[in-house]
Amino acid sequence: MTTPDGVDFDLEVLRERYREERERRLRADGIEQYVEVVGAFAPLAHDPWADPNFNREPLADEVDVALIGAGFGGLLTGAYLREHGVESIRLIDKAADVGGTWYWNRYPGIACDIESYVYMPLLEELGYIPSEKYAKGEEIFEHCRRIAAHYDLCRDACLQTEVHEIRWDAEATRWVIFTNRGDAIRARFVCMANGFLQKPKLPGIPGIETFHGHTFHTSRWDCAYTGGDATGNLTNLADKRVGIIGTGATAVQCVPHLGAGSQHLFVFQRTPSSVDVRANRPTDPEWATSLEPGWQRHRIENFQVLTAGGIADEDLVDDAWTSITKKLLAMRLNNTSGLSAEQLAATMELADFAKMEQVRARVDAIVEDPATAEALKPWYRQFCKRPCFHDEYLQTFNRDNVTLVDTHGRGVDRITESGVVVDDIEYELDCLIFATGFEVGTDYSRRAGFALVGRDGLTLTDKWHDGVRTFHGLHIHGFPNCFVLSIAQSGFTVNFPYLLDVQAQHVAWVIASALEHDVVELEASEVAEQAWVDEIVTRGERTTDSAQFCTPGYYNAEGQADARTRQGGFYFGGPTEYAEILETWRSDGTAPGLDVRTQEATR
Ligand code: NDP
């Protein structure tokens, strides 16, 4: 078959190859294959940047709003609450600073994988223009601090504070937040902004506990050991044999620096990433000064529409993200007249194959050793895993001091005292780095590190035992005055801060209105919650196929997505549609779906 770009391929052969690659990777233990970072592994999750001697007196005061998590979710909700005039806000975070993801992840090469002009929120409000099209991690972390400073969000914050339990006190109609600092903070409203990909996970490789060399997870990068910083220059590794397990989006960014710094680098691969062109560039000052008021919202909306497969007159971001969807769309439009749903799906499949053939051809064009190039080719559909974009990752495998150790989809066989074993070969290492990602799909309290206990002692873990249940992805019946910011049952987007921004605006509006009208309790009704869950399940059924044919990963519960996990999926209507639903709900003015009790009604 030939695509409109002139790429030749055999559809049946490719389908079979994708199926084989998926089968080879499926494991009976699914998400259970990973090791929780507790007990002997707990040091791998310690905060390398916090002051270990920090101490303060316990708090037993009251605030209007407690924001659990000081990443983009907590910061944006705080910012919009301030814009509504809410003063009594407390950010609570286990980290020693604001920033969330951008506080924890400081590995060399860390950068935004979405264009910074749409990824970094509140640019116009703060009068800031990122220095590059894809900003580096440090600049994004600094922007988080800028948001906190601009909206004075650190004034009453509790940092280096780990929440142990959040419990609803029905009599007082307050949440009580218990922490590792002995606090019992009372709050009228709580907003859970504690992150989606935040708890590091380790691979359950036999012998992992026996390794005697140095080891750490990429989200707790050990600069003292490697030398250098987030920009690279890992001088201490010059005499070290370094191994890295994992080849996802994080590894793609740090491997070039490890390759440049290590005496020898071994990259242990289970599944290759799809790595397309990055083409980063400094911000053009002339372009920056030409921007009209409202430019950022306009650009974000344009990106959202295009990356959700919609149609727009222009492509403002014009990068590899939008090219993927434009290509898919172009083929769809060129071929849709009179097509059945099956024919349409087949056209999309064809467009996807063409895109992935291009990505695989890029590997051949860059990687010199044919066997290495073959091993680096991704054999799955574009959105089975997070697509990556980098202009130095593949090139790193041309270095003499870098070895790709492909495990043919099995993963590493064993870890020993002195190294890593694959196919009976032991690779001796001084340092082993885990680029193995974050927990997804485990119990809420396990991921959060605390229990959320609502009305009548019901925990969120129990409430969600048979699947996530929310209204609008934010409210939960049985958990009054509580909001959960998360991707579960919320709008799909590849640009996570966009979703957080939409949710933060909504939550801030609801809380500010509730405070203004002396609302004592607001809670999703059982009926509204059920209706939202039904909507998610119905729309999610359309995505069932992709969960079934994709290679395993955290997107599809390691290939074991079932009705329960799908219920915790996105609201598949596109992110702008989700935003519109919330906007329409606000303009209704009667809070449909919420049971609301005011001070007056209580008297
Ligand atoms: P991922 O979960 O994407 O990758 C984990 C890697 O570890 C995979 O390559 C996985 O292989 C591998 N792995 C797991 N177990 C084993 C094993 N037993 N043997 C060998 N390899 C193993 O984690 P990342 O940290 O890379 O990325 C997580 C997410 O963070 C991304 O998807 C993205 O959403 C986000 N991110 C965003 C960035 C941004 O700029 N905004 C930058 C970096 C990350 P396999 O694929 O076979 O499971």
Side-chain angles (χ1 to χ4, degrees):
M1 255 177 146
T2 307
T3 70
D5 300 344
V7 182
D8 286 322
F9 61 94
D10 185 323
L11 198 58
E12 281 311 319
V13 170
L14 270 175
R15 275 194 192 141
E16 182 56 18
R17 178 76 193 262
Y18 282 16
R19 200 190 57 73
E20 277 171 18
E21 295 287 342
R22 171 186 151 88
E23 294 289 316
R24 185 182 298 171
R25 288 170 173 82
L26 282 175
R27 302 168 49 132
D29 51 2
I31 64 167
E32 300 298 327
Q33 68 181 277
Y34 296 104
V35 175
E36 189 177 2
V37 183
V38 289
F41 298 109
L44 274 88
H46 279 173
D47 186 343
W49 304 287
D51 170 7
N53 299 316
F54 171 77
N55 207 357
R56 65 167 170 79
E57 290 299 312
L59 292 166
D61 56 352
E62 180 166 318
V63 293
D64 281 343
V65 190
L67 301 169
I68 314 301
F72 275 139
L75 291 170
L76 287 167
T77 310
Y80 292 122
L81 281 166
R82 284 278 195 260
E83 287 190 354
H84 284 291
V86 178
E87 285 304 312
S88 174
I89 300 172
R90 174 165 295 153
L91 282 172
I92 302 176
D93 202 299
K94 64 182 173 206
D97 205 341
V98 301
T101 293
W102 301 99
Y103 172 89
W104 293 109
N105 287 279
R106 305 190 196 189
Y107 57 81
I110 182 166
C112 197
D113 74 351
I114 301 278
E115 191 197 61
S116 49
Y117 318 126
V118 300
Y119 181 88
M120 290 165 68
L122 302 173
L123 291 179
E124 282 191 82
E125 289 80 349
L126 272 67
Y128 183 73
I129 298 286
S131 63
E132 294 175 278
K133 191 166 168 75
Y134 304 96
K136 308 269 188 308
E138 242 175 304
E139 186 171 348
I140 306 172
F141 181 24
E142 202 44 55
H143 189 62
C144 293
R145 290 169 152 160
R146 189 176 294 113
I147 295 171
H150 185 86
Y151 293 96
D152 195 15
L153 294 173
C154 289
R155 188 204 307 162
D156 206 14
C158 290
L159 299 172
Q160 277 189 263
T161 300
E162 261 178 62
V163 173
H164 279 173
E165 184 184 90
I166 305 184
R167 184 175 281 273
W168 177 244
D169 178 343
E171 211 168 302
T173 60
R174 295 289 182 270
W175 286 97
V176 189
I177 300 153
F178 301 97
T179 77
N180 67 334
R181 302 271 166 206
D183 305 313
I185 299 162
R186 306 178 83 76
R188 289 180 70 173
F189 296 93
V190 289
C191 177
M192 320 303 292
N194 41 318
F196 160 56
L197 293 167
Q198 52 85 22
K199 180 167 175 173
K201 71 181 189 312
L202 296 173
I205 298 168
I208 184 172
E209 70 292 346
T210 61
F211 184 62
H212 277 182
H214 197 77
T215 186
F216 56 88
H217 188 272
T218 47
S219 66
R220 305 289 187 276
W221 195 269
D222 191 345
C223 283
Y225 180 84
T226 63
D229 55 26
T231 63
N233 204 22
L234 310 178
T235 46
N236 295 356
L237 297 182
D239 59 350
K240 302 281 190 292
R241 288 166 63 88
V242 177
I244 182 166
I245 296 184
T247 49
T250 297
V252 165
Q253 292 185 333
C254 67
V255 156
H257 294 281
L258 286 169
S262 308
Q263 181 201 85
H264 201 99
L265 174 68
F266 297 91
V267 180
F268 298 98
Q269 171 181 276
R270 188 163 71 177
T271 309
S273 276
S274 141
V275 188
D276 209 343
V277 174
R278 173 77 303 170
N280 196 11
R281 57 172 185 262
T283 299
D284 173 1
E286 257 180 57
W287 169 79
T289 48
S290 74
L291 294 167
E292 301 281 341
W295 72 267
Q296 196 189 15
R297 295 260 167 222
H298 181 53
R299 197 174 182 92
I300 290 172
E301 294 292 327
N302 180 257
F303 183 77
Q304 292 308 136
V305 168
L306 285 173
T307 49
I311 299 167
D313 292 340
E314 50 187 349
D315 176 3
L316 294 168
V317 170
D318 192 20
D319 70 354
W321 276 109
T322 56
S323 92
I324 296 171
T325 39
K326 268 197 310 193
K327 185 184 275 286
L328 297 179
L329 194 67
M331 289 192 72
R332 199 172 76 189
L333 290 177
N334 290 342
N335 293 283
T336 46
S337 51
L339 293 189
S340 65
E342 287 74 27
Q343 286 168 321
L344 190 59
T347 311
M348 293 298 277
E349 184 190 26
L350 194 64
D352 196 298
F353 279 147
K355 178 70 213 173
M356 292 304 282
E357 283 292 275
Q358 190 190 313
V359 167
R360 289 186 282 265
R362 182 170 187 253
V363 181
D364 277 331
I366 293 173
V367 179
E368 288 156 12
D369 173 52
T372 306
E374 211 43 49
L376 283 165
K377 290 181 188 169
W379 296 98
Y380 45 81
R381 285 176 72 158
Q382 180 77 67
F383 290 105
C384 285
K385 289 184 178 285
R386 177 108 182 157
C388 300
F389 311 91
H390 212 283
D391 297 334
E392 284 122 47
Y393 175 73
L394 294 170
Q395 290 79 349
T396 302
F397 295 95
N398 292 334
R399 297 180 66 104
D400 292 338
N401 70 327
V402 175
T403 305
L404 176 73
V405 183
D406 183 40
T407 66
H408 311 287
R410 283 194 328 272
V412 163
D413 293 334
R414 245 172 337 117
I415 296 179
T416 65
E417 275 185 20
S418 46
V420 164
V421 179
V422 176
D423 287 335
D424 293 330
I425 300 170
E426 183 173 19
Y427 298 87
E428 292 204 359
L429 303 171
D430 299 300
C431 174
L432 178 57
I433 301 169
F434 292 104
T436 44
F438 304 88
E439 281 196 17
V440 175
T442 48
D443 282 348
Y444 184 83
S445 57
R446 170 171 156 170
R447 266 176 295 135
F450 58 83
L452 181 66
V453 190
R455 206 185 280 293
D456 303 324
L458 179 70
T459 65
L460 191 56
T461 296
D462 285 342
K463 162 96 188 185
W464 285 357
H465 183 264
D466 297 324
V468 171
R469 302 184 62 78
T470 72
F471 172 53
H472 285 168
L474 291 166
H475 307 268
I476 303 155
H477 179 70
F479 295 78
N481 297 3
C482 174
F483 304 82
V484 179
L485 304 192
S486 123
I487 60 163
Q489 304 193 341
S490 308
F492 169 77
T493 176
V494 298
N495 182 21
F496 195 39
Y498 169 77
L499 175 61
L500 291 173
D501 189 75
V502 165
Q503 294 180 322
Q505 286 187 49
H506 189 72
V507 170
W509 186 92
V510 175
I511 293 177
S513 311
L515 288 171
E516 190 189 334
H517 295 101
D518 275 338
V519 168
V520 178
E521 284 180 55
L522 59 86
E523 180 181 351
S525 74
E526 224 168 340
V527 173
E529 186 180 89
Q530 185 61 50
W532 189 256
V533 171
D534 290 344
E535 180 78 0
I536 299 293
V537 171
T538 310
R539 284 168 177 259
E541 274 161 10
R542 292 182 214 152
T543 67
T544 309
D545 276 345
S546 74
Q548 284 171 355
F549 62 61
C550 276
T551 39
Y554 77 85
Y555 275 21
N556 65 351
E558 300 295 335
Q560 296 188 339
D562 55 14
R564 182 184 176 278
T565 51
R566 278 196 297 277
Q567 190 172 310
F570 293 107
Y571 172 86
F572 278 100
T576 46
E577 190 180 332
Y578 173 73
E580 277 160 24
I581 290 172
L582 298 186
E583 220 175 303
T584 307
W585 184 93
R586 293 198 293 275
S587 56
D588 177 281
T590 64
L594 292 188
D595 292 331
V596 179
R597 192 160 64 85
T598 61
Q599 191 71 46
E600 206 175 319
T602 312
R603 277 197 287 263

